[in-house]
Amino acid sequence: MKKIAMTMCILAMATCGFAQKKNVSAAEGKLYEPTDYNGAKNLIEAAMQDPTTSNQAKTYWIASQVYTKLYEEQDVKMNGQLDYDVNLMTESLIKAVDACNKVAELDVLPNEKGQVKPKYTKQLPSKVDKLSKSLFNAGAVNYQKENYKQAVELWNKYIDMADYPMAQSLNMKKDTLFNLTKYYTIDALAKLNNDNIDATSIKYMNDLKEDPKYSKTMYEWLYSTYSKKGDSDKAVNTLKEAIKKFPEDNSYFIGSLINYYVEQKRDNEALAYADEAIASNPKDAQYYLIKAQVYLQKENFDKAIGVAKEAIAVQPENFNANYYCGYSYIRKAEAAMDAANKIKDNNKYKAAKNMANEQFKNSIQFLEKARAIDPTDESNLQLLKTAYYRIGNGDKYSEIDAEIKNLHK
């Protein structure tokens, strides 16, 4: 009885295995007219789960075709602006890639005779190339439709795919799409996570900072990311690294580093970086202005004015240099006026007020120069209006006021 039972068990296993092989063939048949992609999916997934067919390259080759067809069906609907299942489209395309990867793994294994006879390996590169482009394009479409979750899934698979052995011949990492995909994935992740940047984004940023096309932007994003996460050490180190990497164009990084030091009340370090920048770029007014801003935050208006004048000497037609010089005089005048208002003695009050008004007068030539350079800058016009009001020049006050109103017409 035991022998009979064992024989029956072996027969049952053989029958099951035969049935699964039939399922693989049946699934393939449903890809052709009359097509039944869902039926093909059910059959091939059963075969992928069964031990008798789950280790055969053909099973996954057919699976890759089935999932590709399911993806294409949804893709056609999407492009035709018909109702489509975005989750099915995303899942099918990703599963098609995974099935191809499984084909690459199984197709080079020795058969029962110890021989290696790949059947699908030569066909994989062209199929994988097509799938990789589909991953990128489908991600782009979903991004445009604000389906950020699906866009990230598709683009992450595209990025991961470049490391698969089956994709090595494609040299995907050398393709311009590879880094572009990382760039857009970072952005999609930020939108998906409400700007809570995750570890994947940071990894991609660090990867892309080595690419000249994205490098400067990545340093800015990394600094912003570390700042939001409260990791001041990494934020500061990112700025310092960027300053060295972009000696010709690092005003954002120097400015951010100086602001950090000012916020931390480390003024000497802030000024030291400003001086270092000026020494390296003595003909660039922006670095003098960064230093002037440090003095303004310290409310050392005389030094701020002096440094702003140095900037003007370097670049007389620089709007910001003239604006900040005028602004520094205005700040000095307002501080003097505040001090005057605390004086109880009337004569001393008048003298202090007259001294404050002199600072308002001093601001005008620089603000007027800035106005000549850019007559549409409202911040500058507002300062000019204030200066003319303070010195009692009603005509000029009205003239500037009219210009400001015209900006809003």
Side-chain angles (χ1 to χ4, degrees), residues 60-264:
Y60 294 93
W61 179 254
I62 301 305
S64 72
Q65 293 178 296
V66 171
Y67 289 127
T68 298
K69 289 295 184 183
L70 286 166
Y71 154 70
E72 289 174 347
E73 186 176 48
Q74 298 304 314
D75 184 55
V76 168
K77 290 180 180 180
M78 180 180 66
N79 290 322
Q81 297 186 337
L82 302 174
D83 288 338
Y84 71 101
D85 187 332
V86 65
N87 292 319
L88 176 60
M89 183 188 77
T90 301
E91 177 187 285
S92 298
L93 185 50
I94 289 173
K95 284 185 174 181
V97 172
D98 289 340
C100 284
N101 200 37
K102 194 69 175 176
V103 171
E105 174 191 328
L106 296 173
D107 202 35
V108 294
L109 294 179
N111 59 23
E112 61 277 2
K113 295 181 180 180
Q115 300 171 323
V116 177
K117 293 185 176 181
K119 186 177 180 180
Y120 307 102
T121 301
K122 289 183 179 180
Q123 301 174 64
L124 276 175
S126 61
K127 185 172 182 64
V128 169
D129 186 43
K130 184 177 179 181
L131 286 172
S132 70
K133 290 180 172 59
S134 295
L135 284 168
F136 178 83
N137 292 333
V141 172
N142 276 285
Y143 177 90
Q144 291 171 352
K145 292 178 179 292
E146 299 184 0
N147 297 325
Y148 300 122
K149 179 177 181 292
Q150 287 77 15
V152 167
E153 288 179 19
L154 291 160
W155 283 336
N156 275 334
K157 177 57 68 173
Y158 175 91
I159 293 164
D160 291 343
M161 188 178 178
D163 287 321
Y164 292 172
M166 67 174 180
Q168 294 305 304
S169 64
L170 300 177
N171 291 320
M172 289 173 61
K173 291 184 179 181
K174 293 184 179 180
D175 193 298
T176 55
L177 280 182
F178 186 71
N179 281 349
L180 182 63
T181 303
K182 286 187 176 183
Y183 178 87
Y184 282 126
T185 303
I186 295 168
D187 188 58
L189 279 167
K191 290 179 168 64
L192 181 62
N193 299 327
N194 296 319
D195 289 331
N196 293 321
I197 307 298
D198 63 10
T200 299
S201 293
I202 292 175
K203 179 185 182 303
Y204 291 167
M205 287 179 200
N206 277 299
D207 290 344
L208 290 180
K209 74 179 185 181
E210 304 306 321
D211 184 331
K213 183 176 180 180
Y214 304 102
S215 186
K216 194 161 182 284
T217 300
M218 290 306 108
Y219 275 102
E220 291 177 9
W221 288 6
L222 278 168
Y223 165 67
S224 176
T225 298
Y226 289 136
S227 296
K228 287 178 182 177
K229 292 171 72 70
D231 194 334
S232 58
D233 287 342
K234 286 186 177 179
V236 168
N237 288 336
T238 297
L239 291 174
K240 289 180 177 179
E241 187 179 326
I243 289 167
K244 291 180 180 178
K245 189 158 189 171
F246 307 103
E248 304 299 325
D249 184 19
N250 57 22
S251 59
Y252 168 82
F253 303 113
I254 287 180
S256 298
L257 186 58
I258 290 171
N259 285 336
Y260 169 78
Y261 284 135
V262 169
E263 288 170 5
Q264 298 297 312

Side-chain angles (χ1 to χ4, degrees), residues 26 104 298 382 388:
K298 290 166 64 67
Q382 291 287 2
Y388 282 127

Side-chain angles (χ1 to χ4, degrees), residues 16-32 36 39-66 103 119-120:
C16 179
F18 179 72
Q20 290 306 322
K21 288 179 181 179
K22 285 184 64 177
N23 280 348
V24 174
S25 298
E28 183 178 20
K30 289 182 180 294
L31 298 178
Y32 306 101
D36 180 7
K41 177 177 179 288
N42 292 333
L43 288 169
I44 202 64
E45 287 184 347
M48 289 164 67
Q49 293 297 318
D50 192 274
T52 61
T53 47
S54 63
N55 62 348
Q56 295 179 359
K58 181 178 180 181
T59 301
Y60 294 93
W61 179 254
I62 301 305
S64 72
Q65 293 178 296
V66 171
V103 171
K119 186 177 180 180
Y120 307 102

Side-chain angles (χ1 to χ4, degrees), residues 278-297:
I278 290 170
S280 300
N281 305 273
K283 298 298 183 182
D284 195 332
Q286 64 183 333
Y287 298 110
Y288 295 91
L289 297 178
I290 290 171
K291 185 176 180 180
Q293 289 176 54
V294 176
Y295 284 127
L296 276 172
Q297 291 184 66

